[in-house]
Amino acid sequence: TTADTPAGPAPAPKPVTTPKASTNLKDTKSKPQVPAQKGSPPKELVAKDIVVGKGRAAKKGDQLSMQYVGVLFDGGTEFDASWDSGTPFDFTLGQGSVIKGWDKGLVGIKPGGRRELIIPAKLGYGPQGQPPTIPPNAALVFIVDALKVSGN
């Protein structure tokens, strides 16, 4: 016979863990650690390919599926990352459903590509910011990964 075991306390729920950020920015399988920025934020959008993808270049009207990390230019505080939820962010490029810095800065990205966007406040959330995480007139830095690019 087997002995009955008394009911003990339930096991503690597993904490939700956010992926550890990688300093190897070419590793598109890992959440990137956005490098600290130096100097004053740029007045215009800066888009720099870290990894060039393959296939169809994104254009206005395309459906994009992205992973991203967003930080404040000043201080590097992370305010959002799709990596943490594990769910990619899907949107239509050039339709105004995202900040202007994304609509402009992601044109030409290819599937598998990783791009750094340094976005001046006027192409981000502007004078109103996005309280409580993004202050007014904040420049933003994103590292975005294009998982899919599809369209007509």
Side-chain angles (χ1 to χ4, degrees), residues 9-36:
K14 288 192 174 24
V16 175
T17 56
T18 56
K20 182 165 174 17
S22 172
T23 54
N24 176 3
L25 297 184
K26 298 213 180 271
D27 175 11
T28 59
K29 301 270 185 262
S30 299
K31 176 183 176 180
Q33 182 176 322
V34 180

Side-chain angles (χ1 to χ4, degrees), residues 62-68 82 87-93 97-98 102 145-150:
D62 284 347
Q63 294 290 320
L64 272 61
S65 183
M66 314 294 291
Q67 287 280 35
Y68 66 88
S82 63
T87 305
F89 176 70
D90 299 336
F91 73 102
T92 303
L93 187 62
S97 60
V98 292
W102 272 45
D145 295 292
L147 304 179
K148 290 185 201 150
V149 174
S150 52

